Amino acid sequence: MPAFPNDRDPAAPLGAHLFEILLALANGPAHGYGIISDIRARTEDRVVLSTSTLYRGIERLLAQGLVAEAGDQPGEHSGGPPRRYYRITELGRRGAEIEAQRLRDAVRVADERIFASRPDRGSR
Amino acid sequence: MSGGRPLMVRLHAATVGLLSPRFRRRYGEQIGAAFADLYEEAARSRRPLATQRLFAREILGVIAESATGMRRGLTQGLGGDIRFAMRVLRKRPAPTLVMVGMIAVAIAANATVFRVVHRVLLQPLPFHQPDRLTALWSLDTESGRDAIGLSTAADFRDLQSSSTTLAELTAAYNGSRSLTAQEGSEAQMTQFIATNYFDLFGIAPAMGRGFVAEDGELGASPVAILSHELWQQLGGDPDVIGSVLEFDQRDTVIVGVMPAGYRYPVGGNSQRMWAPMVIEDWDDREQGRLFVFGRMRDDVSIETVRAEISAIAEVLGDRYPDTNRDRGARTDSLHDAAVQGASTGLSLLMAAVGFVLLIACLNVANLQLSRAIGRADEVALRMAIGAGRNRIVRQLLVESCVLAAMGSSLGLFVAVWTEPFTAHLIPPTLDTEFYATASVNSSIILFTVAVTVATVIVTGCAPAYGLLRRSVPGQLVSTKRTSETAHSRRLRGGLAIAEISLSLVLLAGTGLMVRSLAALQQMDVGVETDRVAILRTGVRGARYETPEAQAAFFSRVVGELETRPEVASATTADRMPPQSAFRVTPFTIGSQPGVSAGSEARASLRVVGPGYFRTLGIPVVEGVSFDPGPWAGGEPVVLVNQVAAEMYWPGGDALGDEIVMLDGRNEPRRVIGIVGAVRSSAIPPDPEPEIYLPFDQRPLRTMTIAIRTQGSVPTILETGGALISDIEPTFPVYNMTMLQARFDDANAPVAATVQVLAVFASLALLLVTVGVYAVISQSVAERGREFGIRRALGARGADVLGLAVREGLRIMAWGLPLGLLGALALSRALAGLIYGIPPTDPVTFLSVAAGLLGVVVAASSIPGLRAMRADPTVALRD
């Protein structure tokens, strides 16, 4: 699906995987293995991306201008090709912020409507 | 796991190959590197199965991502393709309509037959956990054909106490109760059921209660449950529960009413009411009359139950050799028992509509191919300006999809619309109402969708293949003038050959069934059925407890009937043909002593009145019949039929010999006559050995009366019914019909299947005609220039016609032998269903082949004639 860097509305919701990848990169540039490990550690193994899902996500984030390539460095664990690092862009930070605010709003509504109404078991 | 590391990484690299090439080129290396890192971490973590879980997740990820990629690639520009396909199809409406019509007809036929198959064979029975229910039959193993029979009371009780694989057993038998009303009494088909019967099936009355154990005890006050229909007929009183009706002159309390439409799937389905089964003699091992059912325990399979029941039957055989030695047991799932006999006919129909669909698809493929070739320029142009092969193939498949979608929605509509007319497709042995509850539903729509997908594949791939083989990119030259490549013509010829052979198989199969049915219908049944009326009645009440009183009643009815001028003769029998005899009895033969136990002669036993053979027109071959009687109190006598005489007295000395029926009474009886054999309703209807006892030496409570009249049959039925009511107003009269109707009924299931088969075969023939016509006219059109040259050089019109017909014959020359081979293979499968003709019946095969040849010649001469009339100069100029 051809998508161009500037056709994205930063306020549009991000997919859960894309958001996680942006959060992983918010700490500084990382390569594929680093991103997967960060997400795993943060979510206590609840979100574990496969490598192909990760790179499909990176492809989309690159196309939307939310992340950018940050050069290659040699691998730490095993040999093979140099690892490509990715960094979050300014647009990416804004996208993540808006997504976080959207989630915060959703949590607030959930607090009011779901958690608050649970004890009396009245209406939904 | 040591040594696994490189393998898993290698495997992973291989699966990454599934991803789209562009993505793989950009990220494949990085994906491999990231996986290698993850793998190393997992291997170091030493958690159990960590690497395996990682690997599994990766594989799933690759599959999910490649599927997403494919989906995107496929859907991109699809709307445009569909719009384009619609435009192409609209541009030439006539072939489009023909193709849609052919698909619609084939889909409608398939949906209709599948609907019946679904209803009858696939739909679960409307009971609680129906797959746990079984039907148990008694098996007569002596006769060598394992005849299925009903169980005796003692066998049922023994099964009940011995079986551990069945959680519960129940039983029922069919009979009737006479309901006394102001207008006279009426027999109500009644099922006498064990009190746990409804519970075992998991059904309950709509009103009131089911039976409780006390209802079934000897001497319990009579209770009954009415069918919804009988309740309605009696006025539909909402307070019917607890009311009292008089059945068989006994006040009976109505305790329940069953739900509307409740039908019983095995052993008859016209029950009007239910009454508790009361068994007077639990030690009876002679009279098999119980339908037995069991509910399997949750942890056992039907095979386990089958093995156990057979083992119990063997034990019973050892314990009661007199009665049970040759008695096996058969265990069916209730579903199998319910659809028994129906599945063969339906499979046949399913195969037939499958053939029709395939032929229709080949036709459409052929037409599409012709069209595709006509569009070769367009395709070459599109490829020249950069359309990939995949795009071209997709465009053709989209066209097929659009055709198939239009055809199948039309077909589905036709199937729904014709539903009321297809009710007779349900085998007459099954109750229509019971099975007619489901109409078009999601399974049928799913089935249609599946069939449609198959249609698309068949109709879309052939043209795509044919087109791509010849459209080399850059070949942007008009191909119209060059003569058609041999390749695509071969492909179209091949499709036509396939059509011809398929239709030949279908036609031959249908032909065999038609001829077999004709043989069945024309067969000498051994009875003159014309102008014979039959009706059934039974004696009730204390006055008729003695055999003498029972015999006297039937003798009086027959005697009074015979005094009427329009009655030629009248008689009575326990069962009239084509119903087979009530029971088979073993017997010993006086002149052949020393027969070891177990290898005695066996024959079906009928109890008949004096005029039986005269009334039914059965010839007395030797000796005398029971005319004129009476035989009561006289010497015990018996008649045997010719089959029995030839089978057991090969020396021809049956007459005057003595037989002893091993029925407990073991009295010797003298053979006083030999009578002609009569066919029963069995198919194939080979007559069985039968022996006849005079009615007044063995009276029964319920008998069928047959009247041969010189007047009209309906009138005499009325007269007979009125006569019985005059003598005994409370006696029920039922099963009033013509004897011929009974024989017709015996053939009805076959006849219904054959009729539908014939419809499908005609449809196939029509489709083949269209198909052959299309191929020949296309080829004639392509050779128009050649024909023009030939004509210009002096060929006569007839020569051109000959060329066209020869082309048709060439297709036939391939299709015929292939089809005959297929038909021979099919006939082997049909052998069990065919009667009276050999499965390789030459008449059928030759006439079907000749008919098809005629169709091919006719279909190919029409384009030939057109070419003959065409002006040769026009063809040359083009």
Side-chain angles (χ1 to χ4, degrees):
Chain A
M1 188 139 279
F4 301 97
N6 293 326
D7 71 350
R8 186 175 191 279
D9 172 8
L14 273 172
H17 289 171
L18 300 188
F19 186 50
E20 291 291 356
I21 296 172
L22 285 184
L23 291 183
L25 293 177
N27 248 352
H31 55 38
Y33 166 71
I35 298 171
I36 293 177
S37 304
D38 180 76
I39 296 175
R40 270 185 77 160
R42 266 193 296 111
T43 63
E44 290 167 339
D45 278 4
R46 275 192 306 273
V47 179
V48 185
L49 298 187
S50 80
T51 51
S52 37
T53 309
L54 171 75
Y55 279 98
R56 188 68 84 184
I58 287 180
E59 184 189 30
R60 290 183 61 187
L61 291 171
L62 278 171
Q64 297 176 357
L66 302 182
V67 302
E69 292 182 5
D72 295 355
Q73 287 175 28
E76 308 131 39
H77 289 312
S78 53
R83 307 299 194 263
R84 181 159 305 153
Y85 279 68
Y86 297 94
R87 62 174 178 82
I88 191 165
T89 62
E90 205 38 51
L91 189 64
R93 272 189 201 285
R94 254 176 63 207
E97 254 169 44
I98 293 168
E99 181 70 15
Q101 186 56 48
R102 204 177 61 75
L103 291 176
R104 246 193 308 275
D105 290 347
V107 168
R108 187 172 45 76
V109 175
D111 278 342
E112 285 169 17
R113 301 197 180 166
I114 296 174
F115 293 98
S117 66
R118 182 155 282 174
D120 55 359
R121 280 191 57 88
S123 62
R124 297 193 303 129
Chain B
M1 237 168 258
S2 67
R5 179 185 172 238
L7 178 68
M8 263 197 207
V9 175
R10 268 205 313 272
L11 277 176
H12 180 263
T15 58
V16 169
L18 286 174
L19 297 167
S20 77
R22 198 177 48 84
F23 184 69
R24 201 173 57 224
R25 269 195 305 276
R26 258 184 93 177
Y27 299 103
E29 213 179 59
Q30 290 297 316
I31 288 176
F35 177 71
D37 289 346
L38 286 165
Y39 184 87
E40 186 150 320
E41 181 200 302
R44 255 188 291 120
S45 78
R46 297 200 175 279
R47 271 179 301 176
L49 296 179
T51 55
Q52 284 83 355
R53 282 168 59 175
L54 168 72
F55 186 69
R57 194 161 53 232
E58 284 289 318
I59 299 292
L60 289 176
V62 169
I63 292 173
E65 290 308 320
S66 57
T68 323
M70 250 175 352
R71 210 162 51 230
R72 275 192 215 130
L74 275 179
T75 48
Q76 195 172 8
L78 193 62
D81 276 356
I82 293 175
R83 276 191 298 278
F84 185 71
M86 298 290 270
R87 218 160 42 229
V88 166
L89 293 173
R90 247 201 324 263
K91 215 159 61 185
R92 295 186 58 196
T96 301
L97 281 180
V98 169
M99 287 191 281
V100 169
M102 286 189 298
I103 296 177
V105 165
I107 297 265
N110 273 273
T112 299
V113 172
F114 179 76
R115 194 178 62 225
V116 178
V117 167
H118 179 260
R119 254 183 222 170
V120 175
L121 300 183
L122 306 180
Q123 195 168 271
L125 295 167
F127 301 125
H128 174 63
Q129 294 184 344
D131 56 326
R132 298 272 95 198
L133 292 170
T134 57
L136 310 180
W137 309 98
S138 154
L139 214 52
D140 177 3
T141 54
E142 165 67 20
S143 62
R145 61 198 163 103
D146 285 359
I148 286 185
L150 302 178
S151 304
T152 65
D155 288 348
F156 168 58
R157 186 199 51 199
D158 290 340
L159 282 176
Q160 212 171 14
S161 58
S162 320
S163 171
T164 56
T165 56
L166 294 172
E168 203 178 352
L169 280 94
T170 192
Y173 64 90
N174 294 332
S176 73
R177 279 274 167 90
S178 177
L179 170 63
T180 313
Q182 280 108 341
E183 317 85 64
S185 39
E186 193 186 355
Q188 305 295 347
M189 301 303 283
T190 306
Q191 194 170 42
F192 298 89
I193 58 178
T195 49
N196 65 343
Y197 182 88
F198 287 141
D199 295 338
L200 182 130
F201 282 93
I203 42 185
M207 284 164 48
R209 63 169 174 91
F211 294 131
V212 293
E214 295 80 60
D215 294 332
E217 283 167 9
L218 267 180
S221 63
V223 291
I225 295 174
L226 305 182
S227 70
H228 179 84
E229 292 73 17
L230 179 56
W231 172 57
Q232 286 297 313
Q233 189 192 315
L234 295 174
D237 177 8
D239 298 324
V240 68
I241 306 301
S243 67
V244 174
L245 292 174
E246 194 185 299
F247 285 103
D248 284 0
Q249 294 156 296
R250 293 188 64 187
D251 286 344
T252 304
V253 179
I254 306 305
V255 297
V257 176
M258 288 307 280
Y262 166 70
R263 285 293 186 283
Y264 168 69
V266 179
N269 42 36
S270 47
Q271 274 78 31
R272 306 269 286 166
M273 55 178 275
W274 291 265
M277 173 175 97
V278 178
I279 301 286
E280 280 155 16
D281 181 6
W282 277 107
D283 292 321
D284 179 10
R285 294 190 181 274
E286 287 281 336
Q287 283 251 41
R289 60 171 186 169
L290 296 185
F291 292 93
V292 177
F293 305 96
R295 183 172 281 283
M296 295 193 280
R297 273 194 357 228
D298 286 340
D299 53 343
V300 300
S301 68
I302 182 115
E303 283 72 31
T304 319
V305 176
R306 203 166 275 152
E308 188 202 43
I309 300 297
S310 296
I312 294 174
E314 248 171 71
V315 170
L316 292 179
D318 291 343
R319 202 178 297 161
Y320 310 103
D322 288 350
T323 51
N324 286 49
R325 194 183 44 231
D326 301 317
R327 195 176 290 167
R330 174 174 161 149
T331 310
D332 289 329
S333 73
L334 186 68
H335 185 268
D336 287 351
V339 303
Q340 190 195 8
S343 56
T344 324
L346 285 178
S347 318
L348 217 56
L349 292 184
M350 206 64 220
V353 288
F355 271 70
V356 170
L357 179 70
L358 205 51
I359 294 172
C361 286
L362 292 175
N363 253 343
V364 173
N366 226 332
L367 286 171
Q368 278 282 76
L369 183 58
S370 303
R371 249 162 42 147
I373 286 162
R375 282 161 56 196
D377 291 353
E378 170 214 321
V379 170
L381 179 66
R382 290 178 63 191
M383 286 175 97
I385 58 174
R389 265 162 194 256
N390 291 349
R391 276 309 296 267
I392 302 286
V393 170
R394 193 174 88 175
Q395 174 58 41
L396 282 169
L397 282 176
V398 165
E399 260 179 60
S400 289
C401 278
V402 170
L403 277 176
M406 292 198 291
S408 56
S409 23
L410 186 63
L412 201 57
F413 175 74
V414 170
V416 175
W417 181 60
T418 56
E419 192 176 350
F421 311 110
T422 53
H424 73 276
L425 276 179
I426 293 185
T429 45
L430 297 174
D431 184 88
T432 316
E433 262 184 74
F434 180 83
Y435 286 97
T437 45
S439 60
V440 172
N441 59 23
S442 54
S443 330
I444 290 145
I445 289 169
L446 267 182
F447 170 82
T448 312
V449 168
V451 169
T452 310
V453 169
T455 310
V456 171
I457 291 168
V458 177
T459 59
C461 289
Y465 174 73
L467 199 61
L468 287 180
R469 275 290 295 262
R470 62 186 306 280
S471 293
V472 188
Q475 182 199 1
L476 191 52
V477 191
S478 170
T479 48
K480 269 183 188 152
R481 273 174 185 271
T482 57
S483 65
E484 184 48 59
T485 57
H487 170 72
S488 68
R489 200 187 297 168
R490 259 206 313 277
L491 185 55
R492 276 181 298 143
L495 291 172
I497 289 168
E499 269 184 56
I500 291 204
S501 31
L502 284 175
S503 65
L504 188 66
V505 175
L506 180 53
L507 286 170
T510 308
L512 287 174
M513 294 301 288
V514 168
R515 299 238 316 141
S516 160
L517 176 66
L520 269 178
Q521 283 168 337
Q522 283 158 19
M523 183 181 46
D524 179 14
V525 294
V527 173
E528 287 169 29
T529 53
D530 197 34
R531 287 186 186 280
V532 176
I534 55 175
L535 50 90
R536 198 165 165 82
T537 187
V539 300
R540 313 275 151 139
R543 288 209 293 125
Y544 291 96
E545 281 303 320
T546 66
E548 291 75 21
Q550 292 159 14
F553 171 76
F554 289 105
S555 299
R556 181 175 165 198
V557 172
V558 169
E560 290 196 16
L561 278 168
E562 285 193 321
T563 60
R564 301 193 177 243
E566 72 271 28
V567 173
S569 66
T571 190
T572 175
D574 61 343
R575 276 196 177 188
M576 290 289 168
Q579 266 194 306
S580 43
F582 198 63
R583 51 187 295 213
V584 174
T585 178
F587 60 95
T588 56
I589 299 167
S591 63
Q592 301 165 21
V595 175
S596 60
S599 53
E600 304 94 356
R602 292 172 83 88
S604 304
L605 177 67
R606 281 187 205 271
V607 177
V608 302
Y612 181 81
F613 302 96
R614 186 160 36 89
T615 308
L616 267 58
I618 301 171
V620 180
V621 183
E622 246 185 282
V624 295
S625 74
F626 295 142
D627 261 348
W631 296 91
E635 180 194 13
V637 291
V638 68
L639 297 177
V640 298
N641 73 353
Q642 272 176 302
V643 179
E646 281 159 21
M647 192 180 287
Y648 299 124
W649 288 273
D653 46 1
L655 204 62
D657 207 345
E658 248 180 16
I659 67 164
V660 176
M661 291 193 301
L662 306 175
D663 56 358
R665 304 180 211 199
N666 295 13
E667 58 182 348
R669 290 180 169 268
R670 195 162 61 85
V671 180
I672 59 167
I674 300 171
V675 295
V678 172
R679 78 156 273 204
S680 71
S681 53
I683 294 177
D686 301 322
E688 299 168 349
E690 283 198 313
I691 57 184
Y692 295 89
L693 295 191
F695 163 67
D696 47 1
Q697 288 185 353
R698 184 74 66 86
L700 294 163
R701 302 171 71 95
T702 305
M703 297 287 278
T704 301
I705 294 165
I707 313 162
R708 176 175 293 279
T709 176
Q710 280 138 1
S712 93
V713 171
T715 318
I716 197 66
L717 279 174
E718 220 166 277
T719 315
L723 181 80
I724 292 169
S725 296
D726 282 350
I727 303 173
E728 282 292 345
T730 61
F731 285 4
V733 179
Y734 47 101
N735 289 357
M736 298 167 78
T737 182
M738 287 182 280
L739 191 57
Q740 181 60 48
R742 284 291 192 79
F743 277 93
D744 291 345
D745 285 352
N747 292 331
V750 185
T753 307
V754 169
Q755 272 170 16
V756 181
L757 267 184
V759 170
F760 293 148
S762 326
L763 213 57
L765 201 58
L766 186 72
L767 290 172
V768 166
T769 314
V770 174
V772 171
Y773 170 81
V775 170
I776 304 291
S777 58
Q778 177 74 22
S779 134
V780 166
E782 281 157 7
R783 294 169 70 188
R785 198 173 142 81
E786 177 202 332
F787 286 175
I789 297 173
R790 282 174 185 265
R791 293 286 302 279
L793 292 178
R796 285 170 302 132
D799 295 337
V800 172
L801 176 64
L803 280 174
V805 171
R806 211 171 304 154
E807 184 127 2
L809 290 181
R810 206 162 42 226
I811 295 171
M812 189 72 186
W814 281 100
L816 189 70
L818 284 175
L820 282 176
L821 280 179
L824 280 177
L826 174 78
S827 71
R828 197 169 298 173
L830 288 179
L833 305 171
I834 291 171
Y835 170 76
I837 50 166
T840 53
D841 180 40
V843 178
T844 308
F845 280 54
L846 285 178
S847 49
V848 164
L852 203 54
L853 185 69
V855 164
V856 168
V857 168
S860 45
S861 42
I862 298 170
L865 283 171
R866 232 179 13 225
M868 198 171 108
R869 293 212 192 90
D871 182 356
T873 54
V874 174
L876 281 175
R877 222 180 14 242
D878 266 350

